Amino acid sequence: MTETAINLSQEAPNISLGEKITALVADLYYSSESDEKIEFFDAPFAIEGTPDVASLKMFLGIPPEVTTSEWDLATFFKPLLKKEDWFGEEELGWLKAAEDLQALLIANLTDIKIYRIGNIEIEVYLLGKPTEGNCMGIKTKVIET
């Protein structure tokens, strides 16, 4: 667990939301048929609210015919928040970071949407609108064969 992620539990008014998210995802991987890195995503587009899936695909240069679906927040976080009996200190640190990430996103983003784009190797974007600036959130990949 990175030292920055551990220190985020304390108030840090001079740290941006993006920096807080980046620190929390530094050691997080999304578990599916493979473990994929979770990354901060600062949307490169300025719109009101959170984009619909067609707009997101357009902004990212993804063809309209590519399969898409949506997840809710609970479904997205379920594998990240699952505690196993065998967890040691490192795994408990990952669990704490995932819990802190979920709380941070809920507290600081409105209109949260989670889009799954593609088949088998699926790009997942969790996006929301902060009080100021463009959409932001996290992105990862899930593998489903």
Side-chain angles (χ1 to χ4, degrees):
M1 178 63 47
T2 63
E3 190 67 30
T4 307
I6 293 167
N7 291 335
L8 284 177
S9 60
Q10 303 164 359
E11 278 302 311
N14 57 343
I15 297 177
S16 73
L17 179 57
E19 290 170 321
K20 290 177 184 179
I21 293 170
T22 299
L24 287 171
V25 300
D27 296 325
L28 286 181
Y29 289 81
Y30 199 87
S31 182
S32 61
E33 290 184 34
S34 69
D35 292 337
E36 299 291 335
K37 185 78 181 110
I38 298 173
E39 301 173 5
F40 170 65
F41 182 74
D42 190 8
F45 39 82
I47 62 169
E48 288 286 323
T50 304
D52 60 25
V53 72
S55 298
L56 179 63
K57 287 165 69 172
M58 180 189 70
F59 288 128
L60 296 175
I62 298 169
E65 64 274 5
V66 172
T67 303
T68 59
S69 61
E70 291 187 37
W71 267 348
D72 60 38
L73 208 54
T75 302
F76 177 84
F77 274 99
K78 185 176 181 176
L80 292 170
L81 300 176
K82 184 177 181 184
K83 184 177 179 183
E84 301 287 351
D85 293 339
W86 54 267
F87 275 11
E89 188 175 315
E90 184 175 31
E91 292 82 7
L92 291 173
W94 297 335
L95 179 63
K96 173 76 168 99
E99 290 168 345
D100 290 349
L101 176 64
Q102 181 182 35
L104 181 70
L105 295 173
I106 290 170
N108 290 281
L109 298 177
T110 59
D111 196 26
I112 294 175
K113 298 210 175 27
I114 302 162
Y115 298 117
R116 296 167 32 101
I117 302 173
N119 288 317
I120 301 174
E121 291 188 22
I122 303 163
E123 297 291 329
V124 180
Y125 293 86
L126 183 155
L127 298 174
K129 185 73 174 155
T131 54
E132 294 180 8
N134 295 337
C135 288
M136 65 173 57
I138 55 178
K139 67 177 183 173
T140 190
K141 184 185 293 187
V142 295
I143 308 296
E144 297 176 351
T145 56

